[in-house]
Amino acid sequence: DAGVIQSPRHEVTEMGQEVTLRCKPISGHNSLFWYRQTMMRGLELLIYFNNNVPIDDSGMPEDRFSAKMPNASFSTLKIQPSEPRDSAVYFCATYSLAGIGNTIYFGEGSWLTVV
Amino acid sequence: EDQVTQSPEALRLQEGESSSLNCSYTVSGLRGLFWYRQDPGKGPEFLFTLYSAGEEKEKERLKATLTKKESFLHITAPKPEDSATYLCAVITGGFKTIFGAGTRLFVKA
């Protein structure tokens, strides 16, 4: 398996622009998490989905942030409009709810810079 | 409130100097506790999962242990390539994950 695949790996955008981050989970994993990581705040859980349904979005900072999971193999995190304080690394991670001995696997992250 | 706290924030060791990292937690319904290693510019890399108090797991120079309130990551005779940030995370009964802030480990040759 190719692991969790995120795109883009790096994005630089101007304040006010829309940013869309994408994630392809590991096949068979039915729980998906979006995290944001900054030096100041560490890893923060933004939202997670179980079986494509959003379970907890209490970590989403503002209405400018939205996330969707239209099917089991794709999720997006959108920021509109973007602001400089949104600059961070955004990680997607996935997990299998079935059985025991499961692990959360992370993608390589999307490095966002808003100028 | 569910919480995960890691200590110390940073740890500097000489090569071969063994030590331990701590992860203390208060959560409702622990489903699992994870240890990850994160190198600069990379996503967290899975190390261990622990499920119940008394459980231990080992991998090369690392050993993870779990009690009802905390977990330790023991590093025996570390090498410079062990330098990284080590993250602890828990999955609660509601499948919410909570990460600690991490411990930055520096191992000097």
Side-chain angles (χ1 to χ4, degrees):
Chain A
D1 198 311
V4 179
I5 299 174
Q6 291 188 246
S7 64
R9 286 297 316 276
H10 299 272
E11 177 149 349
V12 180
T13 190
E14 289 186 346
M15 183 173 64
Q17 296 297 306
E18 178 180 293
V19 173
T20 300
L21 309 179
R22 298 173 179 80
C23 176
K24 183 180 188 312
I26 293 173
S27 178
H29 280 198
N30 49 3
S31 190
L32 182 142
F33 306 85
W34 281 102
Y35 292 90
R36 176 171 68 177
Q37 187 174 40
T38 61
M39 287 293 292
M40 292 295 292
R41 300 174 69 93
L43 260 175
E44 301 174 275
L45 177 64
L46 300 178
I47 185 172
Y48 75 97
F49 298 82
N50 285 348
N51 298 311
N52 312 336
V53 177
I55 303 300
D56 185 348
D57 65 355
S58 60
M60 296 285 263
E62 299 171 36
D63 291 344
R64 299 183 296 106
F65 285 70
S66 63
K68 294 182 180 179
M69 192 165 185
N71 57 60
S73 58
F74 184 65
S75 178
T76 59
L77 178 68
K78 187 175 291 186
I79 309 172
Q80 167 62 23
S82 58
E83 297 182 4
R85 60 195 167 118
D86 302 329
S87 298
V89 185
Y90 291 82
F91 287 104
C92 175
T94 69
Y95 174 79
S96 174
L97 293 167
I100 61 171
N102 298 315
T103 295
I104 301 173
Y105 290 97
F106 283 78
E108 290 295 304
S110 291
W111 296 69
L112 174 64
T113 302
V114 183
V115 298
Chain B
E1 181 185 351
D2 296 331
Q3 198 167 9
V4 175
T5 304
Q6 290 189 246
S7 62
E9 288 186 12
L11 181 62
R12 296 180 184 276
L13 301 174
Q14 287 292 127
E15 183 172 5
E17 181 187 359
S18 301
S19 187
S20 296
L21 314 181
N22 177 264
C23 171
S24 62
Y25 62 91
T26 51
V27 298
S28 52
L30 179 73
R31 286 187 178 272
L33 184 143
F34 302 88
W35 281 99
Y36 288 85
R37 169 191 171 129
Q38 187 174 24
D39 294 293
K42 300 276 191 177
E45 176 189 344
F46 170 73
L47 293 174
F48 303 108
T49 308
L50 302 167
Y51 293 98
S52 56
E55 191 173 356
E56 298 182 354
K57 289 192 177 173
E58 286 188 68
K59 180 181 178 181
E60 295 180 356
R61 295 179 291 283
L62 300 176
K63 179 180 176 180
T65 62
L66 181 66
T67 72
K68 289 186 177 179
K69 294 184 179 180
E70 59 191 349
S71 176
F72 290 94
L73 184 66
H74 307 277
I75 303 177
T76 302
K79 298 181 178 181
E81 53 261 41
D82 295 323
S83 297
T85 296
Y86 291 85
L87 297 165
C88 167
V90 299
I91 290 191
T92 69
F95 289 104
K96 185 169 185 174
T97 60
I98 305 170
F99 274 85
T103 293
R104 294 189 306 280
L105 175 66
F106 305 92
V107 182
K108 188 175 180 182

